[in-house]
Amino acid sequence: MSFTADRLLLFGATGDLAQRMLLPSLCALHADKLVAEDLRIVGTARQPLDDASFRNFAREALEKFMPADRRGGMATFLNRLSYQPLDANDMAGYEALAQKVGTPGHGLAIFLSTAPSLFEPTIAGLTAGGLAGENVRIGLEKPLGTCLESSREINDAVARAFPEDRTFRIDHYLGKETVQNLLALRFANILFEPLWNAAHIDHVQITVAETVGLEGRVSFYDGAGALRDMVQNHMLQLLALVAMEPPANYDATAIRDEKVKVLRALRLVAPDETVTGQYRAGAIGGQPVPGYDEELGQDSDTETFVAIKAHLDNWRWKGVPFYLRTGKRLPERKTEIVVQFRHVPHSIFAGKGALTVPNRLVIGIQPEENITLSLMAKVPGLDREGIRLREVPLDIAMADAFAGPNKRIAYERLLLDLIEGDQTLFVRRDEVEAQWDWIDAIRASWTSHGVRPKTYTAGSWGPSSAIALTERDGVHWHE
Ligand code: BG6
């Protein structure tokens, strides 16, 4: 049902995500007049706050996490906020919550950013409190379970109250501008599509490297690990966008139909096609940092690094490895996709002593947003001793190409789409299930082979076996 919500109900309103991302994003949308005047935002969490103290709480979060030059509309933004304390397990509390939300003029958007264990009682409470009708849609923040089975339980519980077209599963990578730009790059240019297949592409690399460690998320992260925290969602979504067939339209159904086909084509990974690691004390940017076990305060077998050689069993990608790599406490923060093209079929320069290097497309997602295509060019000269060729980059820095527009954080886009009801950048249930299916098989193979993470020094690119994973195919990680 299409409506623009005039009420937004935030569960987990005093949590870390709300402070760092949700409240700043909503404030920015307000300041830029992108949300309607009548949008009211109700926060809820366990803390016993009232409206005034929640507004103070929000003000402090905005001052801490929002750049000063984007806080223009803060005072009027705070007037939109109110608060209702709630123990999500206590069904009696939902009536008061419903009263606080009031009767929306058009509709209500709910954003659940709570522990997954609270999803089921929350959905039951929303239903009992009359907060799950036709003019209500729900946004769900990860983690949505820890395996296919638990994700199905959550999705079933949600589906009892909210049909799929009113369920918005968040993967914040889809809200990132450069991730959406992948679609523009692939489908608004004629150059790449004819070459975008196994005949012309040797392999693809996707790296999501972080310098941060546990960041105090002890209880969550140790139960998840890099595979479930980063690969199951963000990296597989990136892979799907790189590998999918051209959708017929830019709309939620067409795009998600194509992504799910890719996710279902993922081949079961062989035991020697994954590498896991866990960081030990080291240094990042010259600063000493402790090891994972020290941050955690105990020994653990949780992986903070994973590298995978993935394959898609379909016509387009037969025989093209997708090397995925993500980890915490790596030397730099970098998310990028590297598309490595094949050699020219025949080099006319070979007889002249010149080597040709295959073309490479590097799509930088963060921190820098840029697209670099490396091309071969002739080194200027009279060529008396043979022709010399060299790789030269064709470089597009998005910040230079599009100076002016504010750089928006992913949640601005996603919250706006949730309020307005556009599902294109949200993950459909079949996608999530295909993702879990593949991830569960990897975990099962780790268990049956007794795989334990190898150690790596914080500030390095992971265990040496991650390098061997590509080197044995004659491929170097792009660094
Ligand atoms: C989250 C993970 O989904 O993504 C975190 O739970 C990770 O562990 C974060 O740090 C990375 O997001 P970004 O936008 O900083 O790349």
Side-chain angles (χ1 to χ4, degrees), residues 31-56:
D32 293 341
K33 299 194 172 17
L34 290 166
V35 286
E37 285 282 315
D38 59 355
L39 176 76
R40 294 281 157 267
I41 302 168
V42 181
T44 182
R46 282 173 78 109
Q47 272 92 321
L49 304 179
D50 59 14
D51 293 351
S53 48
F54 180 59
R55 286 176 187 169
N56 276 336

mmCIF file with all atom_site columns, all heavy atoms in Angstrom, residues 31-56:
data_model
loop_
_atom_site.group_PDB
_atom_site.id
_atom_site.type_symbol
_atom_site.label_atom_id
_atom_site.label_alt_id
_atom_site.label_comp_id
_atom_site.label_asym_id
_atom_site.label_entity_id
_atom_site.label_seq_id
_atom_site.pdbx_PDB_ins_code
_atom_site.Cartn_x
_atom_site.Cartn_y
_atom_site.Cartn_z
_atom_site.occupancy
_atom_site.B_iso_or_equiv
_atom_site.pdbx_formal_charge
_atom_site.auth_seq_id
_atom_site.auth_comp_id
_atom_site.auth_asym_id
_atom_site.auth_atom_id
_atom_site.pdbx_PDB_model_num
ATOM 1   N N   . ALA A 1 31 ? 16.396 19.014 8.235  1.00 0.00 ? 31 ALA A N   1
ATOM 2   C CA  . ALA A 1 31 ? 17.040 20.296 7.896  1.00 0.00 ? 31 ALA A CA  1
ATOM 3   C C   . ALA A 1 31 ? 16.907 20.581 6.402  1.00 0.00 ? 31 ALA A C   1
ATOM 4   O O   . ALA A 1 31 ? 16.744 21.727 5.995  1.00 0.00 ? 31 ALA A O   1
ATOM 5   C CB  . ALA A 1 31 ? 18.511 20.258 8.306  1.00 0.00 ? 31 ALA A CB  1
ATOM 6   N N   . ASP A 1 32 ? 16.959 19.537 5.584  1.00 0.00 ? 32 ASP A N   1
ATOM 7   C CA  . ASP A 1 32 ? 16.864 19.724 4.130  1.00 0.00 ? 32 ASP A CA  1
ATOM 8   C C   . ASP A 1 32 ? 15.419 19.672 3.637  1.00 0.00 ? 32 ASP A C   1
ATOM 9   O O   . ASP A 1 32 ? 15.178 19.559 2.429  1.00 0.00 ? 32 ASP A O   1
ATOM 10  C CB  . ASP A 1 32 ? 17.693 18.651 3.413  1.00 0.00 ? 32 ASP A CB  1
ATOM 11  C CG  . ASP A 1 32 ? 19.179 18.827 3.679  1.00 0.00 ? 32 ASP A CG  1
ATOM 12  O OD1 . ASP A 1 32 ? 19.579 19.931 4.091  1.00 0.00 ? 32 ASP A OD1 1
ATOM 13  O OD2 . ASP A 1 32 ? 19.944 17.851 3.498  1.00 0.00 ? 32 ASP A OD2 1
ATOM 14  N N   . LYS A 1 33 ? 14.486 19.692 4.586  1.00 0.00 ? 33 LYS A N   1
ATOM 15  C CA  . LYS A 1 33 ? 13.041 19.707 4.252  1.00 0.00 ? 33 LYS A CA  1
ATOM 16  C C   . LYS A 1 33 ? 12.634 18.521 3.370  1.00 0.00 ? 33 LYS A C   1
ATOM 17  O O   . LYS A 1 33 ? 11.810 18.639 2.472  1.00 0.00 ? 33 LYS A O   1
ATOM 18  C CB  . LYS A 1 33 ? 12.646 21.027 3.578  1.00 0.00 ? 33 LYS A CB  1
ATOM 19  C CG  . LYS A 1 33 ? 12.891 22.251 4.459  1.00 0.00 ? 33 LYS A CG  1
ATOM 20  C CD  . LYS A 1 33 ? 12.177 23.445 3.905  1.00 0.00 ? 33 LYS A CD  1
ATOM 21  C CE  . LYS A 1 33 ? 12.190 24.662 4.794  1.00 0.00 ? 33 LYS A CE  1
ATOM 22  N NZ  . LYS A 1 33 ? 13.150 24.763 5.879  1.00 0.00 ? 33 LYS A NZ  1
ATOM 23  N N   . LEU A 1 34 ? 13.232 17.379 3.637  1.00 0.00 ? 34 LEU A N   1
ATOM 24  C CA  . LEU A 1 34 ? 12.910 16.198 2.832  1.00 0.00 ? 34 LEU A CA  1
ATOM 25  C C   . LEU A 1 34 ? 11.809 15.357 3.466  1.00 0.00 ? 34 LEU A C   1
ATOM 26  O O   . LEU A 1 34 ? 11.279 14.448 2.842  1.00 0.00 ? 34 LEU A O   1
ATOM 27  C CB  . LEU A 1 34 ? 14.171 15.355 2.617  1.00 0.00 ? 34 LEU A CB  1
ATOM 28  C CG  . LEU A 1 34 ? 15.170 16.036 1.690  1.00 0.00 ? 34 LEU A CG  1
ATOM 29  C CD1 . LEU A 1 34 ? 16.537 15.383 1.755  1.00 0.00 ? 34 LEU A CD1 1
ATOM 30  C CD2 . LEU A 1 34 ? 14.652 16.031 0.265  1.00 0.00 ? 34 LEU A CD2 1
ATOM 31  N N   . VAL A 1 35 ? 11.514 15.639 4.729  1.00 0.00 ? 35 VAL A N   1
ATOM 32  C CA  . VAL A 1 35 ? 10.380 14.941 5.344  1.00 0.00 ? 35 VAL A CA  1
ATOM 33  C C   . VAL A 1 35 ? 9.273  15.959 5.607  1.00 0.00 ? 35 VAL A C   1
ATOM 34  O O   . VAL A 1 35 ? 9.548  17.141 5.826  1.00 0.00 ? 35 VAL A O   1
ATOM 35  C CB  . VAL A 1 35 ? 10.785 14.226 6.659  1.00 0.00 ? 35 VAL A CB  1
ATOM 36  C CG1 . VAL A 1 35 ? 11.592 12.989 6.362  1.00 0.00 ? 35 VAL A CG1 1
ATOM 37  C CG2 . VAL A 1 35 ? 11.537 15.141 7.605  1.00 0.00 ? 35 VAL A CG2 1
ATOM 38  N N   . ALA A 1 36 ? 8.030  15.468 5.550  1.00 0.00 ? 36 ALA A N   1
ATOM 39  C CA  . ALA A 1 36 ? 6.892  16.386 5.654  1.00 0.00 ? 36 ALA A CA  1
ATOM 40  C C   . ALA A 1 36 ? 6.861  17.057 7.031  1.00 0.00 ? 36 ALA A C   1
ATOM 41  O O   . ALA A 1 36 ? 7.328  16.493 8.025  1.00 0.00 ? 36 ALA A O   1
ATOM 42  C CB  . ALA A 1 36 ? 5.606  15.619 5.403  1.00 0.00 ? 36 ALA A CB  1
ATOM 43  N N   . GLU A 1 37 ? 6.277  18.247 7.033  1.00 0.00 ? 37 GLU A N   1
ATOM 44  C CA  . GLU A 1 37 ? 6.140  19.043 8.267  1.00 0.00 ? 37 GLU A CA  1
ATOM 45  C C   . GLU A 1 37 ? 5.473  18.247 9.377  1.00 0.00 ? 37 GLU A C   1
ATOM 46  O O   . GLU A 1 37 ? 5.784  18.398 10.555 1.00 0.00 ? 37 GLU A O   1
ATOM 47  C CB  . GLU A 1 37 ? 5.226  20.251 7.982  1.00 0.00 ? 37 GLU A CB  1
ATOM 48  C CG  . GLU A 1 37 ? 5.875  21.359 7.190  1.00 0.00 ? 37 GLU A CG  1
ATOM 49  C CD  . GLU A 1 37 ? 6.763  22.194 8.076  1.00 0.00 ? 37 GLU A CD  1
ATOM 50  O OE1 . GLU A 1 37 ? 6.329  22.537 9.183  1.00 0.00 ? 37 GLU A OE1 1
ATOM 51  O OE2 . GLU A 1 37 ? 7.902  22.490 7.648  1.00 0.00 ? 37 GLU A OE2 1
ATOM 52  N N   . ASP A 1 38 ? 4.511  17.383 8.970  1.00 0.00 ? 38 ASP A N   1
ATOM 53  C CA  . ASP A 1 38 ? 3.708  16.728 10.006 1.00 0.00 ? 38 ASP A CA  1
ATOM 54  C C   . ASP A 1 38 ? 4.310  15.409 10.500 1.00 0.00 ? 38 ASP A C   1
ATOM 55  O O   . ASP A 1 38 ? 3.681  14.701 11.277 1.00 0.00 ? 38 ASP A O   1
ATOM 56  C CB  . ASP A 1 38 ? 2.265  16.503 9.509  1.00 0.00 ? 38 ASP A CB  1
ATOM 57  C CG  . ASP A 1 38 ? 2.215  15.648 8.255  1.00 0.00 ? 38 ASP A CG  1
ATOM 58  O OD1 . ASP A 1 38 ? 3.294  15.306 7.723  1.00 0.00 ? 38 ASP A OD1 1
ATOM 59  O OD2 . ASP A 1 38 ? 1.101  15.320 7.801  1.00 0.00 ? 38 ASP A OD2 1
ATOM 60  N N   . LEU A 1 39 ? 5.529  15.058 10.073 1.00 0.00 ? 39 LEU A N   1
ATOM 61  C CA  . LEU A 1 39 ? 6.110  13.797 10.551 1.00 0.00 ? 39 LEU A CA  1
ATOM 62  C C   . LEU A 1 39 ? 6.463  13.914 12.036 1.00 0.00 ? 39 LEU A C   1
ATOM 63  O O   . LEU A 1 39 ? 7.200  14.812 12.444 1.00 0.00 ? 39 LEU A O   1
ATOM 64  C CB  . LEU A 1 39 ? 7.378  13.448 9.754  1.00 0.00 ? 39 LEU A CB  1
ATOM 65  C CG  . LEU A 1 39 ? 8.085  12.188 10.261 1.00 0.00 ? 39 LEU A CG  1
ATOM 66  C CD1 . LEU A 1 39 ? 7.346  10.928 9.825  1.00 0.00 ? 39 LEU A CD1 1
ATOM 67  C CD2 . LEU A 1 39 ? 9.531  12.134 9.784  1.00 0.00 ? 39 LEU A CD2 1
ATOM 68  N N   . ARG A 1 40 ? 5.909  13.016 12.827 1.00 0.00 ? 40 ARG A N   1
ATOM 69  C CA  . ARG A 1 40 ? 6.227  12.970 14.263 1.00 0.00 ? 40 ARG A CA  1
ATOM 70  C C   . ARG A 1 40 ? 7.036  11.709 14.523 1.00 0.00 ? 40 ARG A C   1
ATOM 71  O O   . ARG A 1 40 ? 6.720  10.639 13.977 1.00 0.00 ? 40 ARG A O   1
ATOM 72  C CB  . ARG A 1 40 ? 4.949  12.914 15.115 1.00 0.00 ? 40 ARG A CB  1
ATOM 73  C CG  . ARG A 1 40 ? 4.105  14.155 15.036 1.00 0.00 ? 40 ARG A CG  1
ATOM 74  C CD  . ARG A 1 40 ? 4.688  15.271 15.936 1.00 0.00 ? 40 ARG A CD  1
ATOM 75  N NE  . ARG A 1 40 ? 4.261  16.580 15.510 1.00 0.00 ? 40 ARG A NE  1
ATOM 76  C CZ  . ARG A 1 40 ? 4.934  17.385 14.676 1.00 0.00 ? 40 ARG A CZ  1
ATOM 77  N NH1 . ARG A 1 40 ? 6.073  17.000 14.161 1.00 0.00 ? 40 ARG A NH1 1
ATOM 78  N NH2 . ARG A 1 40 ? 4.473  18.563 14.352 1.00 0.00 ? 40 ARG A NH2 1
ATOM 79  N N   . ILE A 1 41 ? 8.049  11.818 15.369 1.00 0.00 ? 41 ILE A N   1
ATOM 80  C CA  . ILE A 1 41 ? 8.937  10.678 15.634 1.00 0.00 ? 41 ILE A CA  1
ATOM 81  C C   . ILE A 1 41 ? 8.818  10.278 17.100 1.00 0.00 ? 41 ILE A C   1
ATOM 82  O O   . ILE A 1 41 ? 9.054  11.108 17.996 1.00 0.00 ? 41 ILE A O   1
ATOM 83  C CB  . ILE A 1 41 ? 10.397 11.058 15.306 1.00 0.00 ? 41 ILE A CB  1
ATOM 84  C CG1 . ILE A 1 41 ? 10.497 11.496 13.838 1.00 0.00 ? 41 ILE A CG1 1
ATOM 85  C CG2 . ILE A 1 41 ? 11.342 9.886  15.593 1.00 0.00 ? 41 ILE A CG2 1
ATOM 86  C CD1 . ILE A 1 41 ? 11.797 12.157 13.465 1.00 0.00 ? 41 ILE A CD1 1
ATOM 87  N N   . VAL A 1 42 ? 8.412  9.048  17.330 1.00 0.00 ? 42 VAL A N   1
ATOM 88  C CA  . VAL A 1 42 ? 8.303  8.552  18.707 1.00 0.00 ? 42 VAL A CA  1
ATOM 89  C C   . VAL A 1 42 ? 9.435  7.564  18.945 1.00 0.00 ? 42 VAL A C   1
ATOM 90  O O   . VAL A 1 42 ? 9.596  6.601  18.184 1.00 0.00 ? 42 VAL A O   1
ATOM 91  C CB  . VAL A 1 42 ? 6.941  7.833  18.930 1.00 0.00 ? 42 VAL A CB  1
ATOM 92  C CG1 . VAL A 1 42 ? 6.822  7.349  20.385 1.00 0.00 ? 42 VAL A CG1 1
ATOM 93  C CG2 . VAL A 1 42 ? 5.788  8.748  18.572 1.00 0.00 ? 42 VAL A CG2 1
ATOM 94  N N   . GLY A 1 43 ? 10.212 7.805  19.986 1.00 0.00 ? 43 GLY A N   1
ATOM 95  C CA  . GLY A 1 43 ? 11.281 6.875  20.342 1.00 0.00 ? 43 GLY A CA  1
ATOM 96  C C   . GLY A 1 43 ? 10.802 5.961  21.449 1.00 0.00 ? 43 GLY A C   1
ATOM 97  O O   . GLY A 1 43 ? 10.005 6.364  22.302 1.00 0.00 ? 43 GLY A O   1
ATOM 98  N N   . THR A 1 44 ? 11.289 4.726  21.432 1.00 0.00 ? 44 THR A N   1
ATOM 99  C CA  . THR A 1 44 ? 10.975 3.841  22.547 1.00 0.00 ? 44 THR A CA  1
ATOM 100 C C   . THR A 1 44 ? 12.160 2.930  22.854 1.00 0.00 ? 44 THR A C   1
ATOM 101 O O   . THR A 1 44 ? 12.919 2.565  21.954 1.00 0.00 ? 44 THR A O   1
ATOM 102 C CB  . THR A 1 44 ? 9.679  3.023  22.293 1.00 0.00 ? 44 THR A CB  1
ATOM 103 O OG1 . THR A 1 44 ? 9.420  2.238  23.446 1.00 0.00 ? 44 THR A OG1 1
ATOM 104 C CG2 . THR A 1 44 ? 9.797  2.097  21.102 1.00 0.00 ? 44 THR A CG2 1
ATOM 105 N N   . ALA A 1 45 ? 12.327 2.633  24.121 1.00 0.00 ? 45 ALA A N   1
ATOM 106 C CA  . ALA A 1 45 ? 13.391 1.755  24.616 1.00 0.00 ? 45 ALA A CA  1
ATOM 107 C C   . ALA A 1 45 ? 13.060 1.509  26.085 1.00 0.00 ? 45 ALA A C   1
ATOM 108 O O   . ALA A 1 45 ? 12.036 1.988  26.578 1.00 0.00 ? 45 ALA A O   1
ATOM 109 C CB  . ALA A 1 45 ? 14.751 2.418  24.459 1.00 0.00 ? 45 ALA A CB  1
ATOM 110 N N   . ARG A 1 46 ? 13.921 0.775  26.757 1.00 0.00 ? 46 ARG A N   1
ATOM 111 C CA  . ARG A 1 46 ? 13.620 0.475  28.170 1.00 0.00 ? 46 ARG A CA  1
ATOM 112 C C   . ARG A 1 46 ? 13.818 1.658  29.096 1.00 0.00 ? 46 ARG A C   1
ATOM 113 O O   . ARG A 1 46 ? 13.140 1.784  30.114 1.00 0.00 ? 46 ARG A O   1
ATOM 114 C CB  . ARG A 1 46 ? 14.527 -0.654 28.647 1.00 0.00 ? 46 ARG A CB  1
ATOM 115 C CG  . ARG A 1 46 ? 14.079 -2.016 28.193 1.00 0.00 ? 46 ARG A CG  1
ATOM 116 C CD  . ARG A 1 46 ? 15.115 -3.032 28.570 1.00 0.00 ? 46 ARG A CD  1
ATOM 117 N NE  . ARG A 1 46 ? 15.009 -3.346 29.986 1.00 0.00 ? 46 ARG A NE  1
ATOM 118 C CZ  . ARG A 1 46 ? 14.543 -4.511 30.449 1.00 0.00 ? 46 ARG A CZ  1
ATOM 119 N NH1 . ARG A 1 46 ? 14.177 -5.446 29.606 1.00 0.00 ? 46 ARG A NH1 1
ATOM 120 N NH2 . ARG A 1 46 ? 14.464 -4.736 31.727 1.00 0.00 ? 46 ARG A NH2 1
ATOM 121 N N   . GLN A 1 47 ? 14.778 2.507  28.762 1.00 0.00 ? 47 GLN A N   1
ATOM 122 C CA  . GLN A 1 47 ? 15.124 3.608  29.674 1.00 0.00 ? 47 GLN A CA  1
ATOM 123 C C   . GLN A 1 47 ? 13.900 4.444  30.046 1.00 0.00 ? 47 GLN A C   1
ATOM 124 O O   . GLN A 1 47 ? 13.122 4.809  29.177 1.00 0.00 ? 47 GLN A O   1
ATOM 125 C CB  . GLN A 1 47 ? 16.149 4.570  29.044 1.00 0.00 ? 47 GLN A CB  1
ATOM 126 C CG  . GLN A 1 47 ? 17.580 4.162  29.275 1.00 0.00 ? 47 GLN A CG  1
ATOM 127 C CD  . GLN A 1 47 ? 18.047 3.298  28.111 1.00 0.00 ? 47 GLN A CD  1
ATOM 128 O OE1 . GLN A 1 47 ? 17.298 2.469  27.606 1.00 0.00 ? 47 GLN A OE1 1
ATOM 129 N NE2 . GLN A 1 47 ? 19.271 3.504  27.695 1.00 0.00 ? 47 GLN A NE2 1
ATOM 130 N N   . PRO A 1 48 ? 13.786 4.763  31.335 1.00 0.00 ? 48 PRO A N   1
ATOM 131 C CA  . PRO A 1 48 ? 12.614 5.523  31.773 1.00 0.00 ? 48 PRO A CA  1
ATOM 132 C C   . PRO A 1 48 ? 12.760 7.027  31.501 1.00 0.00 ? 48 PRO A C   1
ATOM 133 O O   . PRO A 1 48 ? 12.917 7.827  32.424 1.00 0.00 ? 48 PRO A O   1
ATOM 134 C CB  . PRO A 1 48 ? 12.573 5.230  33.285 1.00 0.00 ? 48 PRO A CB  1
ATOM 135 C CG  . PRO A 1 48 ? 13.991 4.953  33.654 1.00 0.00 ? 48 PRO A CG  1
ATOM 136 C CD  . PRO A 1 48 ? 14.675 4.398  32.455 1.00 0.00 ? 48 PRO A CD  1
ATOM 137 N N   . LEU A 1 49 ? 12.717 7.421  30.239 1.00 0.00 ? 49 LEU A N   1
ATOM 138 C CA  . LEU A 1 49 ? 12.829 8.840  29.897 1.00 0.00 ? 49 LEU A CA  1
ATOM 139 C C   . LEU A 1 49 ? 11.438 9.406  29.633 1.00 0.00 ? 49 LEU A C   1
ATOM 140 O O   . LEU A 1 49 ? 10.497 8.663  29.361 1.00 0.00 ? 49 LEU A O   1
ATOM 141 C CB  . LEU A 1 49 ? 13.663 9.006  28.623 1.00 0.00 ? 49 LEU A CB  1
ATOM 142 C CG  . LEU A 1 49 ? 15.075 8.411  28.591 1.00 0.00 ? 49 LEU A CG  1
ATOM 143 C CD1 . LEU A 1 49 ? 15.720 8.651  27.230 1.00 0.00 ? 49 LEU A CD1 1
ATOM 144 C CD2 . LEU A 1 49 ? 15.935 9.010  29.701 1.00 0.00 ? 49 LEU A CD2 1
ATOM 145 N N   . ASP A 1 50 ? 11.322 10.740 29.708 1.00 0.00 ? 50 ASP A N   1
ATOM 146 C CA  . ASP A 1 50 ? 10.101 11.372 29.208 1.00 0.00 ? 50 ASP A CA  1
ATOM 147 C C   . ASP A 1 50 ? 10.474 12.158 27.944 1.00 0.00 ? 50 ASP A C   1
ATOM 148 O O   . ASP A 1 50 ? 11.632 12.134 27.516 1.00 0.00 ? 50 ASP A O   1
ATOM 149 C CB  . ASP A 1 50 ? 9.447  12.245 30.281 1.00 0.00 ? 50 ASP A CB  1
ATOM 150 C CG  . ASP A 1 50 ? 10.383 13.337 30.774 1.00 0.00 ? 50 ASP A CG  1
ATOM 151 O OD1 . ASP A 1 50 ? 11.417 13.573 30.098 1.00 0.00 ? 50 ASP A OD1 1
ATOM 152 O OD2 . ASP A 1 50 ? 10.102 13.958 31.816 1.00 0.00 ? 50 ASP A OD2 1
ATOM 153 N N   . ASP A 1 51 ? 9.504  12.884 27.386 1.00 0.00 ? 51 ASP A N   1
ATOM 154 C CA  . ASP A 1 51 ? 9.780  13.572 26.114 1.00 0.00 ? 51 ASP A CA  1
ATOM 155 C C   . ASP A 1 51 ? 10.971 14.512 26.249 1.00 0.00 ? 51 ASP A C   1
ATOM 156 O O   . ASP A 1 51 ? 11.869 14.530 25.406 1.00 0.00 ? 51 ASP A O   1
ATOM 157 C CB  . ASP A 1 51 ? 8.549  14.387 25.670 1.00 0.00 ? 51 ASP A CB  1
ATOM 158 C CG  . ASP A 1 51 ? 7.382  13.491 25.296 1.00 0.00 ? 51 ASP A CG  1
ATOM 159 O OD1 . ASP A 1 51 ? 7.587  12.260 25.215 1.00 0.00 ? 51 ASP A OD1 1
ATOM 160 O OD2 . ASP A 1 51 ? 6.270  14.026 25.100 1.00 0.00 ? 51 ASP A OD2 1
ATOM 161 N N   . ALA A 1 52 ? 10.956 15.289 27.349 1.00 0.00 ? 52 ALA A N   1
ATOM 162 C CA  . ALA A 1 52 ? 12.010 16.310 27.491 1.00 0.00 ? 52 ALA A CA  1
ATOM 163 C C   . ALA A 1 52 ? 13.379 15.647 27.634 1.00 0.00 ? 52 ALA A C   1
ATOM 164 O O   . ALA A 1 52 ? 14.362 16.079 26.996 1.00 0.00 ? 52 ALA A O   1
ATOM 165 C CB  . ALA A 1 52 ? 11.711 17.192 28.706 1.00 0.00 ? 52 ALA A CB  1
ATOM 166 N N   . SER A 1 53 ? 13.446 14.590 28.447 1.00 0.00 ? 53 SER A N   1
ATOM 167 C CA  . SER A 1 53 ? 14.782 14.006 28.628 1.00 0.00 ? 53 SER A CA  1
ATOM 168 C C   . SER A 1 53 ? 15.233 13.246 27.376 1.00 0.00 ? 53 SER A C   1
ATOM 169 O O   . SER A 1 53 ? 16.421 13.174 27.083 1.00 0.00 ? 53 SER A O   1
ATOM 170 C CB  . SER A 1 53 ? 14.856 13.137 29.890 1.00 0.00 ? 53 SER A CB  1
ATOM 171 O OG  . SER A 1 53 ? 13.771 12.267 29.952 1.00 0.00 ? 53 SER A OG  1
ATOM 172 N N   . PHE A 1 54 ? 14.275 12.728 26.589 1.00 0.00 ? 54 PHE A N   1
ATOM 173 C CA  . PHE A 1 54 ? 14.679 12.096 25.319 1.00 0.00 ? 54 PHE A CA  1
ATOM 174 C C   . PHE A 1 54 ? 15.211 13.153 24.343 1.00 0.00 ? 54 PHE A C   1
ATOM 175 O O   . PHE A 1 54 ? 16.181 12.932 23.627 1.00 0.00 ? 54 PHE A O   1
ATOM 176 C CB  . PHE A 1 54 ? 13.511 11.329 24.704 1.00 0.00 ? 54 PHE A CB  1
ATOM 177 C CG  . PHE A 1 54 ? 13.873 10.656 23.404 1.00 0.00 ? 54 PHE A CG  1
ATOM 178 C CD1 . PHE A 1 54 ? 14.900 9.707  23.348 1.00 0.00 ? 54 PHE A CD1 1
ATOM 179 C CD2 . PHE A 1 54 ? 13.211 10.977 22.220 1.00 0.00 ? 54 PHE A CD2 1
ATOM 180 C CE1 . PHE A 1 54 ? 15.250 9.081  22.143 1.00 0.00 ? 54 PHE A CE1 1
ATOM 181 C CE2 . PHE A 1 54 ? 13.551 10.354 21.020 1.00 0.00 ? 54 PHE A CE2 1
ATOM 182 C CZ  . PHE A 1 54 ? 14.573 9.415  20.986 1.00 0.00 ? 54 PHE A CZ  1
ATOM 183 N N   . ARG A 1 55 ? 14.556 14.313 24.345 1.00 0.00 ? 55 ARG A N   1
ATOM 184 C CA  . ARG A 1 55 ? 15.054 15.383 23.461 1.00 0.00 ? 55 ARG A CA  1
ATOM 185 C C   . ARG A 1 55 ? 16.461 15.801 23.863 1.00 0.00 ? 55 ARG A C   1
ATOM 186 O O   . ARG A 1 55 ? 17.307 16.061 23.008 1.00 0.00 ? 55 ARG A O   1
ATOM 187 C CB  . ARG A 1 55 ? 14.110 16.586 23.495 1.00 0.00 ? 55 ARG A CB  1
ATOM 188 C CG  . ARG A 1 55 ? 12.838 16.291 22.731 1.00 0.00 ? 55 ARG A CG  1
ATOM 189 C CD  . ARG A 1 55 ? 11.839 17.402 22.802 1.00 0.00 ? 55 ARG A CD  1
ATOM 190 N NE  . ARG A 1 55 ? 10.601 16.956 22.179 1.00 0.00 ? 55 ARG A NE  1
ATOM 191 C CZ  . ARG A 1 55 ? 9.450  17.594 22.249 1.00 0.00 ? 55 ARG A CZ  1
ATOM 192 N NH1 . ARG A 1 55 ? 9.361  18.724 22.917 1.00 0.00 ? 55 ARG A NH1 1
ATOM 193 N NH2 . ARG A 1 55 ? 8.396  17.114 21.641 1.00 0.00 ? 55 ARG A NH2 1
ATOM 194 N N   . ASN A 1 56 ? 16.703 15.862 25.171 1.00 0.00 ? 56 ASN A N   1
ATOM 195 C CA  . ASN A 1 56 ? 18.066 16.182 25.623 1.00 0.00 ? 56 ASN A CA  1
ATOM 196 C C   . ASN A 1 56 ? 19.056 15.120 25.184 1.00 0.00 ? 56 ASN A C   1
ATOM 197 O O   . ASN A 1 56 ? 20.162 15.422 24.728 1.00 0.00 ? 56 ASN A O   1
ATOM 198 C CB  . ASN A 1 56 ? 18.124 16.263 27.156 1.00 0.00 ? 56 ASN A CB  1
ATOM 199 C CG  . ASN A 1 56 ? 17.705 17.633 27.615 1.00 0.00 ? 56 ASN A CG  1
ATOM 200 O OD1 . ASN A 1 56 ? 17.818 18.599 26.848 1.00 0.00 ? 56 ASN A OD1 1
ATOM 201 N ND2 . ASN A 1 56 ? 17.204 17.718 28.837 1.00 0.00 ? 56 ASN A ND2 1
#
